[in-house]
Amino acid sequence: MWGSRAFLAGWLLLLLVQLLCLEAVPISIDKTKVKEPEKKPEEPPASVDTGLHYDRYLREVIDFLEKDQHFREKLHNTDMEDIKQGKLAKELDFVSHHVRTKLDELKRQEVNRLRTLIKAKQDLEGGNDIAVDHQALLKQFEYLNHMNPHTFEVEDLDRLIRSATKDLENYDKERHEEFKRYEMMKEHDRREHLKTLDDEERKKEEEHYEEMKKKHADHPKVNHPGSQNQLKEVWEEADGLDPEDFDPKTFFNLHDTNGDGFFDEQELEALFTKELEKIYDPTNEEDDMVEMEEERLRMREHVMNEVDSNKDRLVSLDEFLVATKKKEFLEPDSWETLEQNQAYTDDEMREFEEHLAQQEQDLNQKAFDLQKQRDELERQQEQLNAQKMELQQAVEHMERLKSQKVDPPPEVLEIPAVERHHPAPEGHDPALQEHHPVPEGHHPAPQGHDSAPQAPQDIPQEQHGQENQDQAQQGLPQTHDNIPPGHNIPPVQGQNQLP
């Protein structure tokens, strides 16, 4: 993607004014001494990640817009201020159908990606059972129109330009804050490590630390970034040219590697490599490469502030030539490196450590609460296991009783009719009636009946007669509840009679 490299490096608007790039001049070859090799087609430079969370979507949109001839032609005649105001976005209505279709597809993919991220975040926060309102959550992503997730419209391009412009302006500030946290954490870890040492080991560690600081500070003089001395050094060592022949315009053309007529942020930072190599060596223990990148960022910001007069985050040839005539370019002040400018103050360090202590306390409290919850869950599980065991034992006991039960003999199940309807009084043995004589003047009473006769209507006549018949067949006394009072009941045959 030829035209988007500078934009992706740091400024969206740069991409919109870049067209076909000229072939970069190798800076390591002295063209006065070495014959230029035969030109060969080169691959486009690798795109640079802007650091934005929608970087891929941004690069793909710009890549396809550059393929439309109408859109590219409009770039020639569009002022950067008009681009900022969204006038260029209106030209989207005139791009080819193929490009519009591809842009629609890219937007749908981006919306689906954001929805996936939202769902993943919801799952991590424990909201699996909560319905996700994607439309509401998509509002936080200002670089696209979430109300229309299907097609890429003029508003989408305008939003993308505005959002990328704003986000990239804040990107350097965020990088500085991130570096500050890095430095404070490094110092915090060093202090915590010292607490674990005894007096002798702590003294040795402190001496080693001071020795590394002195060794790091012992380096050649660093030229002021963007000054004549700094650029002449690049001209001589990187370009292989005589410093007496230094020419600002030639220097600019040599290092405008994509030939677009501007120094973008990456092209500027490349000019500081020689200066940074004076301070940092990745093979040295005392040199931190994270600090080297912060130093590079400081140098680039300084040059931009000095040279970029219209604050578009680009340095044009005219701006560069004007800067080379200023006193700051010819007689600059000395440059103070990071070791001379600590990234944080003592108050910031104290607040940072207090914040870490509070975070540690909160994490410990959460760990304690989680342990309590775990213990409670384990206790409840033990109770459930005990209840389950008791229930299982009860079931097994019932099964044993059921398997050990013996069926009663058949004769026990054959109950005489008289016993079914007239059970004998408790403690009475019917056999005694056969062996003991009945006193004179008394008549035997039927078994199971009171001395007073029952009313005839209590028992149906047919049922009662049937019972008497059954009792006669079995040799048992018959019941005659229907006989009026005062009548004798004839004795049953075979029953003991009075003399």
Side-chain angles (χ1 to χ4, degrees), residues 138-145 159-160 163 166:
L138 283 172
K139 291 182 180 179
Q140 61 186 302
F141 304 108
E142 299 179 353
Y143 63 92
L144 52 76
N145 179 15
R159 281 172 173 258
L160 188 59
S163 296
K166 181 182 68 174

PDB file of all heavy atoms in Angstrom, residues 138-145 159-160 163 166:
ATOM      1  N   LEU A 138     -22.006  -0.292  20.856  1.00  0.00           N
ATOM      2  CA  LEU A 138     -21.251   0.133  19.680  1.00  0.00           C
ATOM      3  C   LEU A 138     -21.103   1.651  19.598  1.00  0.00           C
ATOM      4  O   LEU A 138     -20.270   2.155  18.840  1.00  0.00           O
ATOM      5  CB  LEU A 138     -21.927  -0.385  18.408  1.00  0.00           C
ATOM      6  CG  LEU A 138     -21.718  -1.867  18.086  1.00  0.00           C
ATOM      7  CD1 LEU A 138     -22.596  -2.280  16.912  1.00  0.00           C
ATOM      8  CD2 LEU A 138     -20.265  -2.172  17.792  1.00  0.00           C
ATOM      9  N   LYS A 139     -21.888   2.377  20.398  1.00  0.00           N
ATOM     10  CA  LYS A 139     -21.792   3.836  20.379  1.00  0.00           C
ATOM     11  C   LYS A 139     -20.424   4.331  20.800  1.00  0.00           C
ATOM     12  O   LYS A 139     -20.008   5.423  20.431  1.00  0.00           O
ATOM     13  CB  LYS A 139     -22.863   4.439  21.294  1.00  0.00           C
ATOM     14  CG  LYS A 139     -24.287   4.268  20.785  1.00  0.00           C
ATOM     15  CD  LYS A 139     -25.276   4.931  21.735  1.00  0.00           C
ATOM     16  CE  LYS A 139     -26.701   4.770  21.232  1.00  0.00           C
ATOM     17  NZ  LYS A 139     -27.680   5.395  22.172  1.00  0.00           N
ATOM     18  N   GLN A 140     -19.711   3.527  21.615  1.00  0.00           N
ATOM     19  CA  GLN A 140     -18.403   3.961  22.103  1.00  0.00           C
ATOM     20  C   GLN A 140     -17.354   3.981  20.990  1.00  0.00           C
ATOM     21  O   GLN A 140     -16.307   4.603  21.149  1.00  0.00           O
ATOM     22  CB  GLN A 140     -17.946   3.034  23.226  1.00  0.00           C
ATOM     23  CG  GLN A 140     -17.782   1.586  22.783  1.00  0.00           C
ATOM     24  CD  GLN A 140     -17.464   0.674  23.935  1.00  0.00           C
ATOM     25  OE1 GLN A 140     -16.478   0.875  24.624  1.00  0.00           O
ATOM     26  NE2 GLN A 140     -18.311  -0.330  24.166  1.00  0.00           N
ATOM     27  N   PHE A 141     -17.630   3.331  19.876  1.00  0.00           N
ATOM     28  CA  PHE A 141     -16.687   3.307  18.767  1.00  0.00           C
ATOM     29  C   PHE A 141     -17.103   4.379  17.760  1.00  0.00           C
ATOM     30  O   PHE A 141     -17.965   4.162  16.908  1.00  0.00           O
ATOM     31  CB  PHE A 141     -16.657   1.922  18.117  1.00  0.00           C
ATOM     32  CG  PHE A 141     -16.342   0.826  19.094  1.00  0.00           C
ATOM     33  CD1 PHE A 141     -17.317  -0.057  19.499  1.00  0.00           C
ATOM     34  CD2 PHE A 141     -15.061   0.694  19.615  1.00  0.00           C
ATOM     35  CE1 PHE A 141     -17.030  -1.072  20.403  1.00  0.00           C
ATOM     36  CE2 PHE A 141     -14.760  -0.310  20.521  1.00  0.00           C
ATOM     37  CZ  PHE A 141     -15.755  -1.185  20.919  1.00  0.00           C
ATOM     38  N   GLU A 142     -16.473   5.516  17.884  1.00  0.00           N
ATOM     39  CA  GLU A 142     -16.906   6.685  17.122  1.00  0.00           C
ATOM     40  C   GLU A 142     -16.418   6.686  15.682  1.00  0.00           C
ATOM     41  O   GLU A 142     -16.833   7.538  14.903  1.00  0.00           O
ATOM     42  CB  GLU A 142     -16.408   7.962  17.828  1.00  0.00           C
ATOM     43  CG  GLU A 142     -16.947   8.125  19.240  1.00  0.00           C
ATOM     44  CD  GLU A 142     -16.406   9.374  19.913  1.00  0.00           C
ATOM     45  OE1 GLU A 142     -15.518  10.015  19.307  1.00  0.00           O
ATOM     46  OE2 GLU A 142     -16.859   9.705  21.016  1.00  0.00           O
ATOM     47  N   TYR A 143     -15.543   5.778  15.310  1.00  0.00           N
ATOM     48  CA  TYR A 143     -14.960   5.821  13.972  1.00  0.00           C
ATOM     49  C   TYR A 143     -15.843   5.185  12.913  1.00  0.00           C
ATOM     50  O   TYR A 143     -15.461   5.142  11.733  1.00  0.00           O
ATOM     51  CB  TYR A 143     -13.581   5.165  13.964  1.00  0.00           C
ATOM     52  CG  TYR A 143     -13.573   3.694  14.314  1.00  0.00           C
ATOM     53  CD1 TYR A 143     -13.669   2.716  13.326  1.00  0.00           C
ATOM     54  CD2 TYR A 143     -13.448   3.282  15.626  1.00  0.00           C
ATOM     55  CE1 TYR A 143     -13.650   1.382  13.647  1.00  0.00           C
ATOM     56  CE2 TYR A 143     -13.408   1.940  15.951  1.00  0.00           C
ATOM     57  CZ  TYR A 143     -13.519   0.990  14.967  1.00  0.00           C
ATOM     58  OH  TYR A 143     -13.487  -0.337  15.292  1.00  0.00           O
ATOM     59  N   LEU A 144     -17.028   4.689  13.297  1.00  0.00           N
ATOM     60  CA  LEU A 144     -17.974   4.186  12.294  1.00  0.00           C
ATOM     61  C   LEU A 144     -19.394   4.472  12.744  1.00  0.00           C
ATOM     62  O   LEU A 144     -19.663   4.696  13.930  1.00  0.00           O
ATOM     63  CB  LEU A 144     -17.768   2.700  12.019  1.00  0.00           C
ATOM     64  CG  LEU A 144     -17.733   1.706  13.191  1.00  0.00           C
ATOM     65  CD1 LEU A 144     -19.101   1.426  13.746  1.00  0.00           C
ATOM     66  CD2 LEU A 144     -17.088   0.403  12.728  1.00  0.00           C
ATOM     67  N   ASN A 145     -20.301   4.463  11.774  1.00  0.00           N
ATOM     68  CA  ASN A 145     -21.710   4.702  12.062  1.00  0.00           C
ATOM     69  C   ASN A 145     -22.364   3.375  12.425  1.00  0.00           C
ATOM     70  O   ASN A 145     -22.667   2.551  11.556  1.00  0.00           O
ATOM     71  CB  ASN A 145     -22.390   5.324  10.835  1.00  0.00           C
ATOM     72  CG  ASN A 145     -23.867   5.582  11.071  1.00  0.00           C
ATOM     73  OD1 ASN A 145     -24.334   5.553  12.207  1.00  0.00           O
ATOM     74  ND2 ASN A 145     -24.597   5.811  10.004  1.00  0.00           N
ATOM     75  N   ARG A 159     -16.248  10.014   9.770  1.00  0.00           N
ATOM     76  CA  ARG A 159     -15.980   9.592  11.142  1.00  0.00           C
ATOM     77  C   ARG A 159     -14.580   8.997  11.272  1.00  0.00           C
ATOM     78  O   ARG A 159     -13.870   9.239  12.260  1.00  0.00           O
ATOM     79  CB  ARG A 159     -17.016   8.555  11.587  1.00  0.00           C
ATOM     80  CG  ARG A 159     -18.364   9.125  11.995  1.00  0.00           C
ATOM     81  CD  ARG A 159     -19.367   8.000  12.233  1.00  0.00           C
ATOM     82  NE  ARG A 159     -20.615   8.477  12.771  1.00  0.00           N
ATOM     83  CZ  ARG A 159     -20.980   8.388  14.047  1.00  0.00           C
ATOM     84  NH1 ARG A 159     -20.149   7.857  14.922  1.00  0.00           N
ATOM     85  NH2 ARG A 159     -22.154   8.835  14.461  1.00  0.00           N
ATOM     86  N   LEU A 160     -14.194   8.208  10.284  1.00  0.00           N
ATOM     87  CA  LEU A 160     -12.887   7.564  10.328  1.00  0.00           C
ATOM     88  C   LEU A 160     -11.762   8.601  10.309  1.00  0.00           C
ATOM     89  O   LEU A 160     -10.787   8.493  11.069  1.00  0.00           O
ATOM     90  CB  LEU A 160     -12.755   6.602   9.140  1.00  0.00           C
ATOM     91  CG  LEU A 160     -11.534   5.686   9.123  1.00  0.00           C
ATOM     92  CD1 LEU A 160     -11.500   4.798  10.359  1.00  0.00           C
ATOM     93  CD2 LEU A 160     -11.522   4.832   7.863  1.00  0.00           C
ATOM     94  N   SER A 163     -11.867  10.606  13.733  1.00  0.00           N
ATOM     95  CA  SER A 163     -11.449   9.799  14.877  1.00  0.00           C
ATOM     96  C   SER A 163      -9.957   9.501  14.838  1.00  0.00           C
ATOM     97  O   SER A 163      -9.265   9.587  15.863  1.00  0.00           O
ATOM     98  CB  SER A 163     -12.241   8.487  14.909  1.00  0.00           C
ATOM     99  OG  SER A 163     -13.615   8.727  15.113  1.00  0.00           O
ATOM    100  N   LYS A 166      -7.983  12.645  15.806  1.00  0.00           N
ATOM    101  CA  LYS A 166      -8.010  12.906  17.249  1.00  0.00           C
ATOM    102  C   LYS A 166      -7.208  11.868  18.030  1.00  0.00           C
ATOM    103  O   LYS A 166      -6.434  12.220  18.930  1.00  0.00           O
ATOM    104  CB  LYS A 166      -9.460  12.921  17.733  1.00  0.00           C
ATOM    105  CG  LYS A 166      -9.609  13.220  19.217  1.00  0.00           C
ATOM    106  CD  LYS A 166     -11.062  13.177  19.640  1.00  0.00           C
ATOM    107  CE  LYS A 166     -11.614  11.766  19.555  1.00  0.00           C
ATOM    108  NZ  LYS A 166     -13.001  11.671  20.108  1.00  0.00           N
TER     109      LYS A 166
END
